[in-house]
Amino acid sequence: MITNLPFPIFTASMQYLRWLLFPFSLLYGLVIIIRNWFYDAGLFKSREFDLPVICVGNLEVGGAGKSPMTEYLVRLLKNDRELATLSRGYGRKTKGFLTANATATATEIGDEPSQFYHKFPDVTVAVCEDRVAGINQLKINHNLILLDDAFQHRAVKPGLSILLFDYQHLQKPKMLLPAGNLREPFSSRWRADVMVITKCPTELSEEQMMRCYQQISPLNLQPLFFSAIAYQPLQDLQGNRINKLIDADATVFLLTGIANPKPLMQHISKYSAGIIHHNYPDHHQFSLKNIAKLADEFAACKSTKKIIITTEKDAQRLGVHELLPALAQLPVWVQPIGVQFLNNGQPAFDQLIKNYVREHPQHN
């Protein structure tokens, strides 16, 4: 793995910056606590709907595996109901309520909704920053709504709220923005109906599980599940499966604009030690300059075996028209991921979700 970052200096400076920002975190936390109290007390209206609404969310900024979990739920439920997914459409350059179609790009609807649509073209994929308005639009022709990344959107009261925790972050200090990564206090976890710890090691010991229970302390009515990343066969940018594996002597150019690329780095390092990481911020809009830099380094690489790997979410933002000619000259592979429940938890999780949906009427 190639890196030039002075990690000890960088870590120390980040810790110092966190302490400088701590007073702002206190102020931010006070605002969030008051806001949540207003919703809990009924002073702010939280809208309920007469159809099943499932929310997938997390407490931290960044990736805890919300998109793979939403896709898991789509696969589980799409044959039973007229299902639609509803997201904010983070990073899009449009406003208001939109539904995805064959010509929609990540610039118009956001990278995650674009990913959902291309994987499930028979499912309605919608975006709207106002989730209440979005549900009101969708409920005319749908009887099940999946809300992606809406745990903090208190204007909607979902029928079932699934809260995700990244296993790697559970042991870290739980500080609010901007000093930390929490969007609301850790105590807000007790608002969830179901909890899932994601990105766990596939061989999770009882001791590790017990530490997780102690960290989260779920209530008696809050079932807790454990899951790991399930890496799927590689694909090309069009979504076609590539029947190839990464050669041990290959140089891998890894292109990411996601919140936490560390698990993917660890996965690829099992197959190849030569990784050159082009790392950008979460939801980064790739430019021609970014792709030109990648292409130049790829061309200059002396390795006889070299490939480029990116994530599904990044592939959506690479699909804009102005980037396609440059990308057509490069061997770009896409690494899809899924959800793998541990400790035989999948049957219980599936039954819990299906029972909730079954208890609600088929029609509005």
Side-chain angles (χ1 to χ4, degrees):
M1 181 172 61
I2 298 178
T3 178
N4 295 314
L5 289 176
F7 283 111
I9 297 175
F10 179 77
T11 303
S13 62
M14 285 298 294
Q15 289 176 344
Y16 181 68
L17 179 60
R18 287 183 185 272
W19 282 113
L20 287 177
L21 293 173
F22 184 68
F24 298 99
S25 293
L26 294 177
L27 179 61
Y28 172 81
L30 179 62
V31 172
I32 296 299
I33 289 171
I34 294 173
R35 173 183 178 269
N36 281 339
W37 183 85
F38 280 178
Y39 274 111
D40 294 338
L43 298 176
F44 287 171
K45 186 176 181 180
S46 189
R47 176 75 182 276
E48 293 184 77
F49 291 88
D50 60 349
L51 75 165
V53 176
I54 301 176
C55 168
V56 178
N58 66 329
L59 294 178
E60 287 190 311
V61 173
K66 295 184 293 295
S67 294
M69 178 58 69
T70 301
E71 292 176 3
Y72 181 90
L73 294 172
V74 171
R75 291 189 182 95
L76 180 67
L77 300 169
K78 69 185 181 74
N79 294 328
D80 299 333
R81 292 290 186 104
E82 291 297 324
L83 182 151
T85 69
L86 178 61
S87 310
R88 174 188 171 189
Y90 187 85
R92 65 186 176 123
K93 296 183 178 179
T94 57
K95 297 291 184 182
F97 178 85
L98 292 173
T99 55
N101 56 45
T103 62
T105 65
T107 304
E108 296 168 324
I109 61 173
D111 47 19
E112 286 139 345
S114 178
Q115 177 179 321
F116 297 157
Y117 179 79
H118 285 99
K119 296 182 84 167
F120 308 104
D122 55 334
V123 169
T124 298
V125 175
V127 294
C128 190
E129 52 272 46
D130 184 340
R131 305 304 206 288
V132 172
I135 294 175
N136 279 327
Q137 291 261 19
L138 291 170
K139 73 176 186 177
I140 299 170
N141 296 311
H142 302 84
N143 52 26
L144 173 59
I145 310 294
L146 299 182
L147 297 178
D148 176 48
D149 194 11
F151 190 74
Q152 285 73 37
H153 198 86
R154 298 295 306 274
V156 173
K157 186 176 181 181
L160 188 73
S161 183
I162 303 172
L163 187 62
L164 309 183
F165 300 88
D166 188 325
Y167 174 83
Q168 300 294 334
H169 295 172
L170 273 181
Q171 308 299 327
K172 295 182 179 180
K174 296 170 180 60
M175 299 175 66
L176 288 163
L177 293 168
N181 296 322
L182 288 179
R183 294 189 274 188
E184 57 180 312
F186 197 62
S187 59
S188 297
R189 68 193 185 278
W190 289 317
R191 201 168 69 241
D193 299 298
V194 182
M195 298 179 177
V196 182
I197 300 176
T198 64
K199 305 181 183 179
C200 297
T202 52
E203 301 296 330
L204 195 64
S205 68
E206 289 189 12
E207 180 182 352
Q208 290 171 316
M209 284 190 291
M210 186 56 63
R211 282 204 300 267
C212 292
Y213 271 103
Q214 292 170 347
Q215 284 285 328
I216 294 180
S217 301
L219 303 175
N220 291 334
L221 296 177
Q222 290 178 307
L224 178 63
F225 297 89
F226 296 85
S227 72
I229 297 174
Y231 289 97
Q232 310 295 331
L234 291 161
Q235 300 176 351
D236 60 23
L237 283 173
Q238 288 72 45
N240 302 308
R241 180 170 175 171
I242 297 174
N243 295 314
K244 296 179 181 178
L245 297 175
I246 303 170
D247 292 327
D249 56 347
T251 298
V252 177
F253 287 78
L254 180 60
L255 177 65
T256 63
I258 58 176
N260 182 17
K262 185 177 178 181
L264 180 55
M265 290 276 290
Q266 293 172 338
H267 172 69
I268 295 175
S269 66
K270 295 177 184 177
Y271 302 93
S272 172
I275 302 175
I276 301 174
H277 193 186
H278 285 235
N279 189 21
Y280 294 94
D282 196 17
H283 298 285
H284 176 72
Q285 296 294 331
F286 295 109
S287 64
L288 279 172
K289 183 178 180 181
N290 298 149
I291 304 306
K293 178 183 177 183
L294 175 66
D296 289 345
E297 289 190 21
F298 186 83
C301 177
K302 302 300 183 183
S303 175
T304 56
K305 296 180 180 178
K306 49 188 178 179
I307 55 172
I308 299 169
I309 293 180
T310 191
T311 70
E312 286 184 289
K313 192 167 80 167
D314 291 313
Q316 307 308 315
R317 282 177 273 115
L318 291 171
V320 296
H321 300 302
E322 59 266 27
L323 300 181
L324 293 179
L327 289 167
Q329 311 303 316
L330 299 171
V332 181
W333 294 2
V334 179
Q335 177 61 78
I337 61 173
V339 175
Q340 173 189 350
F341 282 93
L342 305 179
N343 307 321
N344 198 32
Q346 180 176 341
F349 180 85
D350 291 358
Q351 195 62 51
L352 187 156
I353 301 300
K354 289 196 169 188
N355 284 346
Y356 161 72
V357 174
R358 191 177 298 117
E359 290 167 3
H360 289 74
Q362 285 282 345
H363 303 287
N364 299 337

